[in-house]
Amino acid sequence: MTSLSERTVYTGKLSLCLHVKLCVVDLCAIDQPLCQDENSLLSFEAICSIHKLMDDDADGTVDTTETDEFLREDLKYHDPKDKHRSFHRADLHISVADMWNAWKSSEVYNWTVQQVEDWLLVSVELPQYSEAFRKQKLDGRALPRLAVKNTTLTVLVLKILDRSHSQKLQLKALDIILFGPPPDHQNWWKDLVLALSVLMALTGCWFAFVQTRKSRDDLSRLMKDLEGLQRAEQSLLDLQDKLQRAQEEQRCVQVEKVKVEEELRNEISSAKQEAQRLRELREGTENERSRQKYAEEELEQVRMALKKAERELESRAHWAPPEALQKWLQLTHEIEVQYYNIKKQSAERQLLQAREGGEDNNNNTHSH
């Protein structure tokens, strides 16, 4: 046995099928590929019902006057100019075929089930029926069936028991079929997610740009620091080289200083020895001079005695020198010879000393 609701649904489907059969010929004449599609037939029947609702004089076309009255009286638009222009465009008389082709070329015709659910949530503002829409898989092609009075679909299938909700859904469906999707048909949270995504992307790009520039600046500073370190290292190596050369020069100077000090000590020692030798020579010369002086004095005495004797001898022409005088003459001769030898030895000694002094001076000059 079947329940009352099931029999009611079955009856509604039967009546709907009778209407579909009446429209099948018209749809096949207009759109041959879709005339065998049951959903397309149902949507075409809804389009026919909407066209009939707008065609007050039943002449088969909807003119601008009829559209204006429909917008003001049925859809309650107080300023329908934009809607009027969007519906008619350049065609002043809209037939069923024109309405059907306009509907097929609409963006809403190709909506998915999710897009229809988003439209129900945002534009219609009836989110409580989202589950029923999703369960029946209502996509964009099924929306004309919501734009007409279809109690079977709205009440029995979708479980929309509130009459105000049904009327609101029907008006929103009429608006979207005749005039296209609303400007804000997209879900607000999707826009928010998109905006946040764009903002995050821009933030990421900016962060990447800042990091790249910072990395470039850090790399530039690092390269400059490395160059500075290289220059400092080179300067340190140069200083080390200069220090090493200075140390080497200092060692050379010290060695030279030792040599010079040694030479000075040797020269001082030589000078001391020479001074000692000269002192001795001077002392010897002084002794020699003293002896020579004594000899000269003695010789002078002898000469004076000799002259005295010569004077006596001249006074005595034929006088023979006495024996004592002969002794003095002999002694005078010996003293003269001795004095001559002393002077000769002194002269030779002085000549030898002068020669040795000249040789020493030449040696000192060559050594310096």
Side-chain angles (χ1 to χ4, degrees), residues 200-235:
M200 291 177 64
L202 291 176
T203 304
C205 293
W206 174 253
F207 181 75
F209 172 74
V210 171
Q211 289 297 320
T212 303
R213 186 171 63 181
K214 183 179 178 182
S215 300
R216 192 182 299 113
D217 295 340
D218 292 341
L219 182 61
S220 178
R221 286 195 295 270
L222 180 61
M223 294 300 294
K224 290 181 180 179
D225 293 341
L226 288 176
E227 291 177 359
L229 288 176
Q230 290 178 354
R231 289 194 296 270
E233 184 179 4
Q234 187 63 35
S235 300

Side-chain angles (χ1 to χ4, degrees), residues 51 54-55 59-64 66-67 87-88 92-94:
H51 186 274
M54 297 178 68
D55 186 11
D59 62 352
T61 60
V62 179
D63 56 22
T64 57
E66 292 171 337
T67 302
F87 179 69
H88 276 278
L92 300 179
H93 299 279
I94 305 297

Side-chain angles (χ1 to χ4, degrees), residues 246-304:
Q247 290 176 351
E248 187 68 24
E249 291 177 358
Q250 185 178 5
R251 283 195 295 270
C252 294
V253 169
Q254 289 178 352
V255 172
E256 189 68 22
K257 180 181 178 182
V258 171
K259 291 181 179 179
V260 171
E261 289 177 353
E262 184 67 25
E263 291 178 357
L264 288 175
R265 283 195 294 269
N266 293 332
E267 289 180 0
I268 292 172
S269 178
S270 299
K272 287 182 179 180
Q273 293 177 0
E274 184 67 18
Q276 182 67 27
R277 188 178 66 81
L278 291 175
R279 189 182 302 109
E280 291 176 356
L281 287 174
R282 187 172 59 253
E283 292 176 354
T285 302
E286 289 178 354
N287 294 331
E288 188 68 24
R289 286 178 180 177
S290 178
R291 285 195 301 270
Q292 185 178 358
K293 183 178 180 181
Y294 292 152
E296 287 178 354
E297 291 177 355
E298 185 178 357
L299 180 61
E300 185 65 26
Q301 292 176 1
V302 172
R303 283 177 180 175
M304 291 175 64

Side-chain angles (χ1 to χ4, degrees), residues 13-58:
K13 287 185 177 180
L14 260 178
S15 61
L16 192 57
C17 287
L18 291 176
H19 289 291
V20 168
K21 288 180 181 179
L22 293 176
C23 294
V24 107
V25 177
D26 293 336
L27 180 59
C28 291
I30 296 172
D31 198 342
Q32 181 66 33
L34 296 178
C35 68
Q36 301 299 325
D37 184 21
E38 182 179 357
N39 290 328
S40 297
L41 288 173
L42 294 174
S43 296
F44 182 74
E45 179 191 7
I47 294 293
C48 291
S49 300
I50 296 171
H51 186 274
K52 184 177 180 181
L53 183 63
M54 297 178 68
D55 186 11
D56 293 335
D57 55 7

Side-chain angles (χ1 to χ4, degrees), residues 20 32 62 67 74 84 95 111 152 167 189 203 207 340:
V20 168
Q32 181 66 33
V62 179
T67 302
D74 294 28
H84 188 281
S95 63
W111 272 8
T152 303
Q167 290 177 351
W189 60 269
T203 304
F207 181 75
Y340 172 77

